[in-house]
Amino acid sequence: MRVLLEQQGRTYAQEAGIRLADRPGPLYQLLVLATLLSTRIRAGVAVAAARELFACGYRTPQATAAASWQARVDALGRGHYRRYDERTATMLGDGARLCLDRWRGDLRRLHREAGGSPAALRRLLTEFPGIGPTGADIFLREAQSVWADVRPYADRRALAGAGLLGLPADPRGLGGLVDGADFGRLASALVRVALDEDCARDVTRAAAR
């Protein structure tokens, strides 16, 4: 576990420059990142596109909704998110307006409505354009770092990574191996292992030294 977290324990939110906290801005930025990661595109490209959107000032639903569709398309293009840029620009605009209209720009309200239930959270999150079950899993996998009542949350992909390393293939079993605050990092690390078999080999070799 020590080697895994040292080598791969960087969340996707951290990569995208999001200082995740239980506040409206960072939670909305995480929603944007989950939207970008939901398409069939490399994670590095999605992260780069998120960083470009945030650099343009689109860190709140208000700013995203106020931006023109073309401005969102251009920002995605600069992040090399080109295959899905037009459709994603539309989804981000619609999602920002939904966030403002239903949750008054604050996803903590969504959290409260769900009562901390992961199943209810997944259902509410999938109402956002571009967020299906996979996107909801991505959001919750990262949000558990600040929403303690969601922990331990490990989706199918994280559990696949655990299997490659011979670790427990259930969230509670994994939760017993790290401090609660580190479980979000662990889940991200396991996803990286699942996506790249070289990661599993490197972690295993380093741990055996």
Side-chain angles (χ1 to χ4, degrees):
M1 296 301 295
R2 177 182 59 79
V3 171
L4 175 63
L5 289 175
E6 285 177 354
Q7 290 192 358
Q8 304 295 336
R10 183 172 172 82
T11 67
Y12 288 99
Q14 288 175 319
E15 277 196 36
I18 301 170
R19 295 186 178 182
L20 197 56
D22 192 23
R23 299 197 308 271
L27 290 172
Y28 172 72
Q29 292 157 31
L30 179 58
L31 182 72
V32 170
L33 178 61
T35 303
L36 298 175
L37 285 167
S38 294
T39 58
R40 295 188 177 185
I41 202 163
R42 287 188 299 109
V45 173
V47 167
R51 293 183 72 94
E52 182 62 32
L53 287 166
F54 302 151
C56 291
Y58 309 146
R59 291 179 166 271
T60 65
Q62 292 89 343
T64 301
S68 70
W69 175 81
Q70 189 62 55
R72 295 193 296 269
V73 170
D74 292 344
L76 291 168
R78 288 192 297 274
H80 304 290
Y81 199 91
R82 294 196 177 94
R83 283 182 61 194
Y84 306 98
D85 53 353
E86 295 186 355
R87 182 165 62 93
T88 301
T90 298
M91 291 190 300
L92 289 174
D94 292 343
R97 284 183 283 274
L98 175 61
C99 185
L100 290 168
D101 293 345
R102 180 159 183 185
W103 308 109
R104 289 186 244 170
D106 188 349
L107 292 175
R108 293 176 300 181
R109 296 177 183 274
L110 178 149
H111 185 208
R112 286 195 292 271
E113 180 167 318
S117 163
L121 283 165
R122 286 179 94 248
R123 178 179 55 78
L124 291 171
L125 286 166
T126 56
E127 294 179 9
F128 283 95
I131 298 287
T134 297
D137 282 338
I138 293 168
F139 183 94
L140 294 174
R141 204 170 63 214
E142 303 264 330
Q144 66 182 320
S145 297
V146 294
W147 288 351
D149 51 2
V150 176
R151 294 197 296 259
Y153 193 89
D155 62 354
R156 176 179 52 82
R157 185 158 283 172
L159 295 178
L164 290 174
L165 295 175
L167 297 173
D170 68 277
R172 296 207 174 275
L174 289 169
L177 301 177
V178 293
D179 292 336
D182 278 333
F183 197 87
R185 293 177 59 224
L186 171 61
S188 291
L190 292 174
V191 168
R192 295 177 194 280
V193 167
L195 293 174
D196 185 352
E197 291 184 3
D198 289 342
C199 287
R201 185 171 59 250
D202 293 345
V203 168
T204 302
R205 286 176 177 172
R209 291 172 187 163

